């Protein structure tokens, strides 16, 4: 008899039965997963769904809080997640890459004990060229006694996350989730419409020969990053003693999924263009959830100098430099930065 498929619902019920998640958190993950299914359908329609291209009226681009032109699917994905999470009673508030500030759950609905942060559609510049994109989410507890959370209540370090995940909309639609006990992958069975457990306990190999970075920024990097990547490119003729391969999808979800699946190091370091903002990628709904998933899979995540999950947020849209993936390789990259700082 073939092994019974374990659905996301069954997995979450078993996590709850084992006392690893609360009924509210189980509902939260189910609701987010259901929203991701709807986003997957919209993304999959592409031009047929009339949702490609930039948002905004008649030639007037719609710009989000990041200063980025919003795609129609960015706006749609954000709306799907807001609507799905409003009425369930599991959340006190939510925050999105697409919204200037966090929002308490409307007071027409009951409020719960969790805070949800998300990037509704990461990598959206890839949508119009049919490259994988994804949704990233992070779950925090609402501080005790706070019934109407404001931005300041979301500013918790990554170690405070109770769950995190992403859904990658690629050849498969795959939800990758941690509730603090390993990182697990669920692939969408489109015929049934449910996520099925396909990898229990993803593990990132400690070592790697593959790095992911946007090389076009090389001339803008800090000296330690120049030195680190320069040695990767020297391969077995250089101090690393092995040749490396490179990948760059320019969709964090796709690059991180590859690393969780076969190892590697992903980096979006400081460069002189993004340094004034603190980096390119956002801490609260990109770097922290990915760092939680990667650490739960045996990898490491750093700003290049500090463990990512220990960064104290100073703002909802705070940006950070990111190094994550195979533990030994992240440690090697960090060593270049710490040696540089020590010599300064
Ligand atoms: P660049 C997508 O816009 C994103 O936020 C991440 O998903 C991705 O890793 C990065 O930016 C790509 O940046 O500068 O290579 O286009």
């Amino acid at each position: 008899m073939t092994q019974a498929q374990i659905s996301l619902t069954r997995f979450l019920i078993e996590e709850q039965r084992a006392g690893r998640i609360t009924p509210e958190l189980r509902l939260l993950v189910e609701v987010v997963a259901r929203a991701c299914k709807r986003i997957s359908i919209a993304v999959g329609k592409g031009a047929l769904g009339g949702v490609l291209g930039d948002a905004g009226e008649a030639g007037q681009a719609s710009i989000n809080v990041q200063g980025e032109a919003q795609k129609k699917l960015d706006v749609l994905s954000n709306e799907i997640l807001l609507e799905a999470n409003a009425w369930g009673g599991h959340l006190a508030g939510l925050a999105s890459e697409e919204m200037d500030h966090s929002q308490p759950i409307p007071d027409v609905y009951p409020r719960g004990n969790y805070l949800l942060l998300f990037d509704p559609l990461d990598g959206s510049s890839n949508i119009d060229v049919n490259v994988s994109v994804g949704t990233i989410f992070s779950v925090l507890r609402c501080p005790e006694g706070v019934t109407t959370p404001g931005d300041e209540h979301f500013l918790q370090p990554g170690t405070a996350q109770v769950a995190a995940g992403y859904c990658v909309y690629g050849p498969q639609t795959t939800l990758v989730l941690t509730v603090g006990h390993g990182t697990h992958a669920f692939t969408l069975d489109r015929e049934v419409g449910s996520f099925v457990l396909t990898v229990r306990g993803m593990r990132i190999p400690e070592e790697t020969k593959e790095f992911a970075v946007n090389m076009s920024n090389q001339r803008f990097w800090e000296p330690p990053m120049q030195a680190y990547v320069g040695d990767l490119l020297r391969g077995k003729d250089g101090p690393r003693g092995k040749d490396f391969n490179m990948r760059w999808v320019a969709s964090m979800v796709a690059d991180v999924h590859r690393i969780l699946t076969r190892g590697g190091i992903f980096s979006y370091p400081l460069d002189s263009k993004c340094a004034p903002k603190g980096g390119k990628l956002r801490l609260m709904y990109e770097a922290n959830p990915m760092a939680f998933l990667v650490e739960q899979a045996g990898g490491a995540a750093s700003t290049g100098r500090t463990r990512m999950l220990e960064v104290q947020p100073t703002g909802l849209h705070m940006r950070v430099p990111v190094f994550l993936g195979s533990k030994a390789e992240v440690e090697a990259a960090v060593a270049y930065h710490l040696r540089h700082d020590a010599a300064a």
Side-chain angles (χ1 to χ4, degrees), residues 122-123 214 248 250-252 266 268 280-282 286:
D122 181 71
N214 182 338
W248 186 248
S251 224
M252 187 184 198
F266 169 96
Y268 210 107
K280 163 139 193 198
L281 302 181
R282 278 64 51 139
E286 288 176 328

Side-chain angles (χ1 to χ4, degrees), residues 82-83 85-89 91-94 103-111:
L82 291 177
E83 188 279 328
N85 282 285
W87 45 267
L91 283 185
L94 34 75
Q103 276 181 7
I105 292 299
D107 51 21
V108 293
Y109 299 119
R111 286 181 184 160

Side-chain angles (χ1 to χ4, degrees), residues 272-301:
S272 54
K273 296 181 294 177
C274 68
K277 295 180 186 170
K280 163 139 193 198
L281 302 181
R282 278 64 51 139
L283 174 67
M284 298 304 294
Y285 41 79
E286 288 176 328
N288 268 348
M290 291 310 199
F292 192 13
L293 290 161
V294 163
E295 284 201 1
Q296 285 291 316

Side-chain angles (χ1 to χ4, degrees), residues 208-211 231-232 235 240 242-246 329:
T208 186
K209 293 183 177 180
E210 197 159 73
F211 68 99
D231 285 346
L232 295 181
R240 304 303 311 276
K242 58 183 178 179
D243 290 339
F244 284 79
N245 197 5
M246 198 198 98
E329 196 55 43

